[in-house]
Amino acid sequence: MANKRLALAGNPNCGKTTLFNSLTGATAHVGNWPGVTVEQRIGVYKDKKNGVEFDVIDLPGIYSLSPYTPEEVISRNYIIDEKPDVVINVVDGTNLERNLYMTTQILEMDVPVVVAVNMADVLDKRGLSIDLEALSKKLGVPVVAISALHQKGLKELIAAAEKATESPRTGTSILPYKTAIDQAVAVLGDEDEPVPSPLFHAIKLLEKDELEIEAHPKAYERVQEVVGKDGIDYEASIADERYKYLTALCKEVAKGRVEREAEKLTKSDKIDKVLTHRVFGILIAIVIMFLIFHLTFTEDLFYLGAMGVNFGDGYPGFITYVIGDEEIHMFEGLFWTDGGINGIGTICANFVVGICDAITAGVGAGLELAGAESWAIGFICDGCLAGVFAVIGFVPQILVLFAFLSILEDTGYMARVAFILDRIFRRFGVSGRAFIPMIMGFGCGIPAMMNTRTLASDKERTKTIRVIPFFTCGAKSEFLIMIAAAVGAVIAFPTDLFVFLIYGFGVVVAICAIIVMNITSQREEVPPFIMELPEYHNPQAKALGIHIWDKGKHFIKKAFTIILLSTIVVWFFSHFNWQWTYLEEADTANSILGGLGSLLSPLFVPLGFGKVQTGSYSWTYVVGSVEGIIAKENVTGVMESLAAGYGFETFAELVSASGITTAGLVAFAVFNMLTIPCFASVATAKSELKDVKTYHWTLIFWLGLSYGLACLAYITFEWVWTLAITLPLLAVAIFCLVKYNMYMNDKEKKAAAESAE
Ligand code: GDP
Ligand code: MG
């Protein structure tokens, strides 16, 4: 027998996903965002002792059951059509009045309901209490207090849910319009097919709900005929009545909250006055972001090195081993180098790199002792280990970066960043709603692209999906750090600043691209969006732990599967020529891959890493870039492995040998950052975009934009005087866009006026 189904419904941010995770042991993404959950997620709750088993469904966060956004429609249809055995309506106890609005609507459906008042821990801390019994009596359904985060009250909740499934429930309404509602229910009773949850539908018909009118057009006309005489504007007064009812109800059941609420509001407002200030808000955001990048990536934490403090030869390391006749100090430079003190991320990375290097050296020496052939040593050390360890070596820094970003997200600050961006870019037609999936793109583009389902129109989704890859994800930050280190070796540019600037560059490109698409190919009226700012939370160590663990696991799994496979394939084709003879070190340019790469390398001359600039090494940059389309970690893994094939220790050595200029390196970074993202996100984009044509244009867009901007970056950095040509051209382009926009606006206005006549 199939399990009973328990659906979680509630406003965004009330803790549904946290509850889902607590009940099912899953590790779904939790965030202090409006509307993070888009897809339904299904998990299993098991209590072996009592033999209870439920399928738990996490529905998207919704404010009400009126169809304003796709997520609301998903939840509403699920409850009505799929008829779960019980709905757990999760409400945020610290925000009872607003959260119960939706409860009054769920109660109108013919489904067993249990209300879970969440955040009991916060209520306790603030000295607030809710009279559960009185609330339950008023609503007519069981009410249980829980803390999803601290896993309190879950047993009671499940017991109440279990009991509720045992008897069917008919919808009830708190609205005072009994006669009108009864009349509407009667009308629906005459429909050809029986309507499930008639009370809910009847009220929706009174409210002139769009979806409802579509579904029951005849019934709608009848209802309006019957109730039209009442002279009541149900559309407006039903919402009013719900609020009136809830204000009275909350006064009765919530103790000590009225004055506290005001106090809390001013506190939250006070923080927001500074953090979302019109001018300082954006500056503070930039400073916070830079601090994070600095802490994570710097090698000069307190700028002591820059101020001329002498660090000698740096930290000497604490384990010494001898390989052959070479003495190696493991963990050399772990905490500080000759240039300064390392940031947190750098220390973690150095630690892991120290271990990886020792393993590689040990394995190499062991194989040599055992008398292995030189190609076998090369294959294992350069083909397998170099690539995999290059990817793993950067994981600590990415995890530290993620920890910081995750804290910002969990506290609710990221929602403020979206809010600030919304305020600036709304006038250019970029809706704030789209910034949420975009900022999620800093983590991984795939869930971010799926999150675009919360957007109102196809065009808005298209625009957002196209720019999500420009928000640098974890995998891309790997090769950015690698390139930053190489740039640092050439012109002593700080790593943290390089990574920060290129992240920022991605955001700017994304916003400009959206504005251009808004004016040209994806014109539309942007629907208004009022962003809810969630309350500030303390970051949760557990949520953070889950998040980091998930990310780390993901990277390591990828390193040992797709990345390992890619580097092995690359190693083979870069160490054998067409006659299948093995090529010794430094001869790899004559390999099969070397030949194929050289074939393509003229294409990259305008980008600064073609044959003209990098000579016989040009094929490595080509192979790295092409492999990046499979997975972005490959850019790192493959480049390091190819460098090892040449006998270099790091990518930075390959860079200086190949003679690529800093401008060329910047272009290499820009190209790989903006071009077609990995296979997995391309597949996601394909399934999320509305048709194949849009998908093909999206691929062309990514390829064209990355090529063009990388070329521009190369030319500008190599020959700064070219700005004298590009800037005026840019001005002309902007002028044309503005003119075109005005022309189209006029035309659209005229067309609208004509159709009105
Ligand atoms: P959803 O949008 O309804 O899925 O909400 P989430 O599960 O993503 O949670 C939103 C925020 O509330 C997160 O920051 C959670 O850590 C936090 N949260 C959830 N449940 C509790 C709880 O019981 N107590 C506290 N203090 N915070 C909670
Ligand atoms: Mg959720």
Side-chain angles (χ1 to χ4, degrees):
M1 196 188 73
N3 282 340
K4 287 187 180 171
R5 283 167 312 142
L6 181 160
L8 306 177
N11 289 11
N13 243 359
C14 63
K16 290 175 303 296
T17 302
T18 311
L19 179 61
F20 177 82
N21 288 347
S22 291
L23 288 177
T24 63
T27 52
H29 184 87
V30 176
N32 202 3
W33 285 109
V36 166
T37 311
V38 184
E39 262 184 313
Q40 293 165 15
R41 242 187 304 248
I42 302 183
V44 180
Y45 169 84
K46 252 189 210 152
D47 179 358
K48 284 219 185 82
K49 216 165 62 202
N50 302 314
V52 184
E53 214 172 298
F54 273 113
D55 281 346
V56 185
I57 297 110
D58 184 17
L59 291 177
I62 42 180
Y63 284 112
S64 73
L65 295 174
S66 309
Y68 293 122
T69 61
E71 57 200 14
E72 293 170 12
V73 179
I74 295 175
S75 300
R76 167 179 171 166
N77 290 349
Y78 185 85
I79 299 176
I80 295 179
D81 300 335
E82 308 285 320
K83 297 194 187 67
D85 295 284
V86 55
V87 172
I88 294 204
N89 176 205
V90 185
V91 296
D92 174 353
T94 64
N95 214 335
L96 200 59
E97 206 172 313
R98 207 185 67 199
N99 274 244
L100 285 177
Y101 186 86
M102 189 179 139
T103 312
T104 63
Q105 293 180 299
I106 295 183
L107 289 177
E108 286 156 5
M109 300 178 174
D110 294 344
V111 67
V113 177
V114 175
V115 173
V117 178
N118 191 20
M119 315 264 177
D121 56 314
V122 185
L123 291 176
D124 280 349
K125 226 186 265 167
R126 295 204 192 136
L128 306 173
S129 76
I130 293 172
D131 186 343
L132 301 175
E133 229 166 276
L135 186 59
S136 163
K137 211 176 249 165
K138 278 275 182 186
L139 298 177
V141 293
V143 178
V144 184
I146 63 163
S147 168
L149 188 71
H150 300 288
Q151 318 209 338
K152 296 256 163 63
L154 303 189
K155 283 255 154 63
E156 292 80 357
L157 179 65
I158 289 291
E162 173 79 11
K163 199 157 154 237
T165 58
E166 278 158 16
S167 46
R169 183 181 157 276
T170 339
T172 56
S173 176
I174 52 99
L175 295 170
Y177 309 116
K178 187 156 181 348
T179 353
I181 295 174
D182 284 348
Q183 284 167 333
V185 171
V187 170
L188 277 175
D190 294 341
E191 290 278 275
D192 300 338
E193 280 184 27
V195 179
S197 293
L199 181 67
F200 177 82
H201 290 285
I203 293 171
K204 286 283 160 218
L205 280 182
L206 288 180
E207 282 185 292
K208 303 188 181 165
D209 176 287
E210 275 166 39
L211 281 190
E212 212 59 42
I213 298 175
E214 238 168 71
H216 311 283
K218 266 191 244 132
Y220 170 70
E221 306 237 314
R222 287 274 318 280
V223 169
Q224 294 306 325
E225 242 168 66
V226 179
V227 302
K229 303 187 282 288
D230 300 355
I232 300 175
D233 176 8
Y234 287 105
E235 205 178 342
S237 30
I238 284 181
D240 270 0
E241 286 297 336
R242 288 193 207 272
Y243 279 121
K244 248 195 258 162
Y245 174 86
L246 290 175
T247 314
L249 177 71
C250 287
K251 228 180 230 154
E252 196 181 322
V253 301
K255 304 219 169 75
R257 66 177 299 106
V258 183
E259 56 286 358
R260 293 257 176 183
E261 189 91 308
E263 192 182 298
K264 184 192 76 199
L265 263 177
T266 54
K267 192 175 159 195
S268 210
D269 281 353
K270 259 185 208 155
I271 302 178
D272 272 340
K273 257 212 178 103
V274 185
L275 292 188
T276 64
H277 187 275
R278 278 189 176 275
V279 184
F280 302 124
I282 189 92
L283 291 179
I284 294 174
I286 291 174
V287 169
I288 291 181
M289 288 296 170
F290 179 73
L291 270 182
I292 286 177
F293 280 82
H294 182 63
L295 283 172
T296 309
F297 297 116
T298 189
E299 290 171 357
D300 194 3
L301 189 58
F302 303 107
Y303 293 109
L304 294 175
M307 288 188 283
V309 175
N310 185 359
F311 285 91
D313 289 337
Y315 182 73
F318 53 82
I319 298 176
T320 306
Y321 55 82
V322 182
I323 299 242
D325 42 344
E326 208 181 341
E327 191 174 90
I328 297 169
H329 303 281
M330 199 169 167
F331 303 121
E332 205 170 17
L334 179 63
F335 299 110
W336 66 86
T337 58
D338 52 359
I341 297 173
N342 292 333
I344 308 169
T346 316
I347 295 177
C348 298
N350 284 350
F351 186 76
V352 173
V353 169
I355 295 174
C356 291
D357 283 351
I359 294 177
T360 311
V363 169
L367 285 172
E368 209 159 310
L369 266 183
E373 299 276 344
S374 75
W375 68 265
I377 301 176
F379 169 66
I380 292 183
C381 292
D382 304 341
C384 305
L385 297 182
V388 170
F389 283 171
V391 173
I392 289 180
F394 287 114
V395 169
Q397 266 171 319
I398 292 166
L399 293 189
V400 171
L401 179 67
F402 267 63
F404 283 125
L405 293 181
S406 182
I407 288 172
L408 288 192
E409 183 181 354
D410 202 14
T411 52
Y413 180 70
M414 279 301 200
R416 269 77 186 175
V417 174
F419 174 78
I420 294 170
L421 292 175
D422 172 50
R423 200 168 48 200
I424 302 174
F425 292 104
R426 191 181 338 187
R427 68 193 78 186
F428 299 109
V430 188
S431 146
R433 231 187 150 78
F435 278 113
I436 296 171
M438 283 187 232
I439 294 177
M440 284 177 83
F442 279 137
C444 175
I446 294 162
M449 285 180 186
M450 295 203 276
N451 187 277
T452 59
R453 289 181 205 167
T454 57
L455 301 180
S457 74
D458 281 337
K459 283 188 175 171
E460 193 170 19
R461 293 195 65 196
T462 305
K463 282 180 275 195
T464 311
I465 287 176
R466 282 182 184 168
V467 303
I468 279 175
F470 304 162
F471 286 73
T472 310
C473 71
K476 286 183 188 171
S477 61
E478 286 216 328
F479 70 75
L480 292 182
I481 308 168
M482 178 182 80
I483 294 172
V487 170
V490 180
I491 58 164
F493 195 82
T495 317
D496 53 344
L497 191 60
F498 184 89
V499 181
F500 175 73
L501 287 179
I502 208 133
Y503 261 72
F505 176 71
V507 176
V508 171
V509 170
I511 289 170
C512 294
I514 286 206
I515 293 173
V516 173
M517 282 190 272
N518 257 339
I519 294 176
T520 55
S521 67
Q522 308 288 324
R523 286 183 78 81
E524 67 170 345
E525 190 104 12
V526 178
F529 169 62
I530 302 148
M531 185 149 169
E532 289 277 344
L533 287 180
E535 233 193 275
Y536 285 104
H537 283 285
N538 279 332
Q540 307 292 351
K542 196 174 142 204
L544 185 68
I546 289 177
H547 200 160
I548 301 295
W549 170 239
D550 243 29
K551 269 286 158 202
K553 224 172 40 184
H554 172 80
F555 271 113
I556 295 186
K557 210 168 99 192
K558 240 170 132 186
F560 281 104
T561 49
I562 180 116
I563 313 295
L564 177 61
L565 192 74
S566 303
T567 43
I568 288 177
V569 170
V570 165
W571 185 87
F572 266 105
F573 289 105
S574 66
H575 280 81
F576 286 94
N577 60 16
W578 292 103
Q579 284 77 42
W580 284 111
T581 25
Y582 175 68
L583 301 168
E584 282 301 329
E585 212 168 66
D587 201 19
T588 48
N590 298 321
S591 64
I592 298 176
L593 210 52
L596 292 177
S598 303
L599 228 55
L600 281 179
S601 83
L603 282 177
F604 295 96
V605 171
L607 275 54
F609 49 95
K611 212 163 200 127
V612 177
Q613 296 93 346
T614 57
S616 64
Y617 293 94
S618 64
W619 67 282
T620 57
Y621 294 96
V622 176
V623 172
S625 305
V626 172
E627 284 280 316
I629 294 175
I630 298 172
K632 288 293 163 199
E633 290 95 331
N634 263 341
V635 181
T636 318
V638 167
M639 292 309 287
E640 294 279 359
S641 159
L642 290 179
Y646 267 113
F648 299 128
E649 255 170 45
T650 57
F651 171 67
E653 286 179 25
L654 173 72
V655 162
S656 62
S658 71
I660 188 174
T661 58
T662 307
L665 271 180
V666 170
F668 182 62
V670 169
F671 177 73
N672 280 297
M673 190 174 81
L674 303 180
T675 200
I676 298 178
C678 61
F679 271 0
S681 31
V682 169
T684 312
K686 186 174 182 193
S687 70
E688 296 293 326
L689 287 167
K690 88 174 182 296
D691 51 30
V692 182
K693 201 175 134 213
T694 320
Y695 162 68
H696 286 151
W697 275 113
T698 303
L699 292 182
I700 294 172
F701 168 78
W702 283 331
L703 210 55
L705 189 76
S706 57
Y707 192 86
L709 284 182
C711 180
L712 201 64
Y714 173 61
I715 293 174
T716 309
F717 277 97
E718 195 73 59
W719 302 284
V720 179
W721 58 264
T722 53
L723 279 178
I725 299 166
T726 37
L727 287 182
L729 282 179
L730 198 67
V732 171
I734 292 175
F735 179 78
C736 290
L737 271 177
V738 171
K739 277 281 169 216
Y740 176 75
N741 193 31
M742 277 155 63
Y743 165 76
M744 287 303 281
N745 279 347
D746 278 352
K747 207 167 130 187
E748 278 158 9
K749 234 182 248 158
K750 259 189 217 142
E754 258 162 41
S755 73
E757 274 166 22

